[in-house]
Amino acid sequence: MSSPAEEHSLAKAAKLVEDLYHIRDTFFPENQGDKISKLREQSDLALKFLDSIPPEERKSPMQRATFEYLRGKILDVCPDYNKEAEDHLSKAVKLNPSLADAWLCLGNCIWKKGDLSAAKNCLSLALSKGPNKNILCQLSMLKRKMSQGAENQAELVEESIQHAKEAISLDVKDGYSWYNLGNACLTSFFVSGSWDHSKLQHSVKAYQNAEKDERMKSNPDLYFNSAIVNRYLENYERALSGFEAAALKDPSLNAAAEVQKIVSLLDKLDNLMRGGHLKAKRMASLASSLATVNLNPSYNRATVDHMLEGLNRAVAIDGKVLFFVTNDTVAPLYYLLCDSNQNCFVLTVYGLRIDVIKERDQLMLLDPYFRQVDFSWKDKHYKFKSIRVDFPEQVLVNGKAVTPQQVVPSSIQAQHKP
């Protein structure tokens, strides 16, 4: 049986390791080299204390397993793979196969080595010994990594989502598990071709649940990824606030540049809406030139001023393309249109090639999603009507359906922290 002094030594070492990882997860200097230097300095102190524990205080298999685990975890704190860390963690799980944290660290260490298949086997073996939310989250992240470039990409991402949900079922208040689910749903959105906004709705709800956990408020990636979701949902004010918060917490995320991208786009849209680029007579001429398009009778024709906030099912709206609006993102595409009542509105389109819709084209938009954008940012007020179509089949161009050749052929990736 271990003495209290022996247990105290290992417990103190575990606290030093916990402090070390707290630095890793909360210290975000502008220069990443400063973070690595600090981690190495603290790692050396933790290892020095660990080595000071007399051999007689780590003689039982359980004690030796804990000792090897702590040493391996200290060595694995930096982003690069460490062979010595893997060796110590391997010893730990052999000495105590039920030490879940050691399995988790070993899987992460092998992942850093680039052997994703072996990392998956390691984490799966750990799960076979009993459910564990942290291992499920790690496996969820690993499946997303494995999906990149894989033929069964969508399947692996769906498995990632399921692992994330399993982790939440073990602890519904754990913010990190919710954050992981949000990331999995966001990845699914991009894998599907950035068309299905229901994935974003699931993602934003998961992030909102993650924010309820006080421990997550120090995580800049949560704010960054949540801002990405809000940008695609056209919640521009929330997106700007999120990116700004992420930039303050971690300058290396380059979130300030994302703020500037959104502001630049909003300024362009605002200038087009307010700038009087089209005279009243010309606008009236374009609006009156909208030809009658044969439409399924189940759809009701409408103009922008009759749109309801959100999804307008079984509604069709005609529009003339006035301008294509360039921006710094791959998707969506932005256009300025006017309807038959000479109402101007912004159109965001997903899933189409950039050359499909041209200025002066007539569009018929089916089941449009409507938003009234109205907010202020940095002493500037933005107000305009916006319509979004998520799928190619929601758009008729000059009375014709979009062809398969006009659809974006591959998934669209975006910068976010996995």
Side-chain angles (χ1 to χ4, degrees):
M1 177 179 271
S2 305
S3 71
E6 293 169 359
E7 293 299 333
H8 177 72
S9 295
L10 286 172
K12 187 174 180 181
K15 180 63 169 64
L16 290 173
V17 175
E18 182 182 331
D19 292 343
L20 175 64
Y21 273 75
H22 181 73
I23 293 172
R24 186 199 69 172
D25 296 337
T26 60
F27 179 52
F28 301 103
E30 193 161 352
N31 184 349
Q32 282 295 94
D34 292 342
K35 180 171 184 173
I36 299 298
S37 296
K38 189 173 183 67
L39 288 175
R40 285 175 176 163
E41 176 187 338
Q42 296 301 312
S43 295
D44 290 342
L45 291 174
L47 287 171
K48 186 176 181 180
F49 177 82
L50 200 61
D51 288 337
S52 72
I53 300 175
E56 60 268 19
E57 294 186 16
R58 42 186 166 95
K59 56 190 177 184
S60 74
M62 295 283 283
Q63 290 172 329
R64 292 204 308 273
T66 301
F67 179 86
E68 295 290 347
Y69 156 62
L70 292 174
R71 176 174 283 279
K73 188 167 184 178
I74 292 168
L75 292 168
D76 192 49
V77 72
C78 290
D80 296 332
Y81 167 72
N82 186 301
K83 174 66 165 61
E84 191 179 352
E86 183 182 354
D87 291 341
H88 286 289
L89 293 167
S90 296
K91 289 179 184 177
V93 297
K94 287 177 182 176
L95 288 165
N96 183 5
S98 64
L99 192 55
D101 286 344
W103 283 107
L104 178 64
C105 287
L106 179 59
N108 185 63
C109 186
I110 296 172
W111 180 349
K112 290 180 183 179
K113 186 168 63 173
D115 193 342
L116 303 187
S117 178
K120 180 178 76 72
N121 292 338
C122 175
L123 295 172
S124 298
L125 181 60
L127 277 181
S128 70
K129 302 180 184 304
N132 183 289
K133 66 180 181 182
N134 296 324
I135 292 173
L136 282 164
C137 282
Q138 191 77 352
L139 190 57
S140 174
M141 289 188 290
L142 179 60
K143 289 288 181 73
R144 295 200 294 278
K145 179 65 176 178
M146 295 176 72
S147 75
Q148 296 175 9
E151 290 184 3
N152 61 334
Q153 186 179 35
E155 179 184 340
L156 287 169
V157 172
E158 183 57 35
E159 290 176 8
S160 170
I161 291 174
Q162 292 307 312
H163 290 315
K165 290 180 177 179
E166 289 167 15
I168 291 169
S169 70
L170 297 176
D171 184 359
V172 74
K173 293 184 179 180
D174 181 55
Y176 190 81
S177 296
W178 282 107
Y179 166 68
N180 180 53
L181 176 61
N183 289 349
C185 292
L186 178 55
T187 301
S188 181
F189 169 70
F190 293 121
V191 166
S192 69
S194 302
W195 303 343
D196 188 354
H197 278 67
S198 67
K199 306 287 179 63
L200 292 185
Q201 298 290 355
H202 294 314
S203 184
V204 77
K205 288 178 183 177
Y207 289 144
Q208 287 170 350
N209 281 320
E211 290 172 7
K212 295 176 184 177
D213 188 336
E214 285 293 322
R215 297 170 299 173
M216 293 302 295
K217 292 187 177 179
S218 62
N219 186 335
D221 297 336
L222 170 59
Y223 293 90
F224 188 91
N225 290 358
S226 181
I228 288 176
V229 172
N230 280 305
R231 183 181 68 195
Y232 282 106
L233 289 173
E234 298 178 52
N235 297 325
Y236 296 115
E237 187 175 13
R238 292 181 189 174
L240 288 165
S241 299
F243 281 130
E244 193 169 72
L248 290 172
K249 293 177 182 295
D250 184 358
S252 71
L253 284 176
N254 204 29
E258 297 299 322
V259 170
Q260 190 52 48
K261 285 181 184 178
I262 296 176
V263 170
S264 177
L265 171 64
L266 290 171
D267 285 344
K268 284 183 180 180
L269 296 175
D270 185 66
N271 289 337
L272 287 172
M273 296 292 285
R274 298 174 184 268
H277 291 271
L278 289 170
K279 294 182 179 180
K281 287 185 178 180
R282 178 63 174 151
M283 181 77 76
S285 174
L286 288 170
S288 64
S289 71
L290 286 169
T292 301
V293 175
N294 291 327
L295 196 62
N296 187 312
S298 63
Y299 280 92
N300 296 313
R301 297 176 187 268
T303 52
V304 172
D305 47 346
H306 290 97
M307 290 290 100
L308 300 176
E309 190 79 13
L311 182 63
N312 289 257
R313 292 189 182 279
V315 171
I317 181 169
D318 270 322
K320 198 79 169 181
V321 180
L322 306 179
F323 299 103
F324 170 66
V325 185
T326 58
N327 70 101
D328 294 324
T329 59
V330 176
L333 302 175
Y334 292 86
Y335 302 89
L336 184 67
L337 277 70
C338 74
D339 65 13
S340 58
N341 280 353
Q342 302 179 45
N343 298 305
C344 285
F345 62 94
V346 174
L347 172 67
T348 55
V349 179
Y350 287 83
L352 294 185
R353 303 177 70 98
I354 196 170
D355 57 350
V356 174
I357 298 174
K358 303 177 182 65
E359 293 180 2
R360 304 298 183 264
D361 279 347
Q362 178 176 335
L363 304 184
M364 178 70 77
L365 309 173
L366 310 177
D367 302 311
Y369 192 100
F370 176 77
R371 284 188 68 86
Q372 175 69 59
V373 176
D374 187 356
F375 74 100
S376 295
W377 180 261
K378 307 297 184 186
D379 299 323
K380 184 162 185 180
H381 190 75
Y382 298 101
K383 184 175 182 179
F384 56 87
K385 294 179 173 64
S386 177
I387 283 181
R388 187 187 78 221
V389 288
D390 300 336
F391 300 96
E393 54 266 29
Q394 290 178 266
V395 184
L396 300 179
V397 182
N398 298 320
K400 297 179 180 179
V402 172
T403 66
Q405 292 74 26
Q406 294 174 314
V407 175
V408 175
S410 60
S411 65
I412 298 168
Q413 300 298 327
Q415 179 190 6
H416 70 291
K417 301 289 284 191

